[in-house]
Amino acid sequence: IFGSFGMIALLTGVISESMFDKNNLRMEEERMERENMRKMLIRTCENLFDELPSQSISPKREEGAHVWEVQELLPRIATLFESKGVAYAGEDLFAMLDILNQEDGTITRDKFKFFIVQ
């Protein structure tokens, strides 16, 4: 009788360990997928920003893009987020402009890149 309890305990331990290992592996894979998605979104948003008329004059210029130019990008970014299944609040994209807007009415590439993936 005690031998069968011991065997059941051993099997339960092996199964539990296997379940924990699989769960950890799955969590690591999901983390990698999220990180890859984040990097892809950053690259895509950087490319969209670089395509703005003010940026085509002098790419990656320090002065940044005009707020109205970035505002015109927001529907494209929203479509991108929706196509990739990114959860976001639409009004947050527009509220981001108020935060990013510098005194001179421009938004720099670095600030845009930082805030877009938050």
Side-chain angles (χ1 to χ4, degrees), residues 2-105:
F2 292 115
S4 63
F5 285 126
M7 185 61 74
I8 290 173
L10 179 66
L11 288 174
T12 302
V14 169
I15 291 170
S16 296
E17 182 70 24
S18 176
M19 287 173 41
F20 286 130
D21 288 343
K22 286 181 182 179
N23 189 38
N24 287 338
L25 181 62
R26 187 177 75 242
M27 287 178 10
E28 181 66 20
E29 288 172 352
E30 289 173 355
R31 186 191 65 77
M32 293 293 289
E33 286 177 18
R34 283 191 311 271
E35 183 62 26
N36 288 335
M37 175 70 74
R38 183 178 169 277
K39 288 178 182 178
M40 185 276 305
L41 289 172
I42 289 172
R43 281 192 309 272
T44 304
C45 290
E46 284 177 332
N47 292 339
L48 289 172
F49 188 88
D50 291 341
E51 290 172 4
L52 294 173
S54 63
Q55 299 303 299
S56 63
I57 298 167
S58 173
K60 298 175 186 69
R61 67 184 188 139
E62 295 299 317
E63 296 87 36
H66 300 286
V67 174
W68 58 268
E69 288 181 303
V70 176
Q71 188 171 7
E72 291 176 358
L73 271 184
L74 297 183
R76 291 172 66 187
I77 292 171
T79 303
L80 172 68
F81 284 0
E82 289 168 4
S83 69
K84 299 300 180 183
V86 175
Y88 75 100
E91 57 273 1
D92 286 350
L93 286 177
F94 291 97
M96 172 189 74
L97 291 179
D98 293 334
I99 296 169
L100 292 175
N101 188 6
Q102 297 180 356
E103 294 168 3
D104 61 354

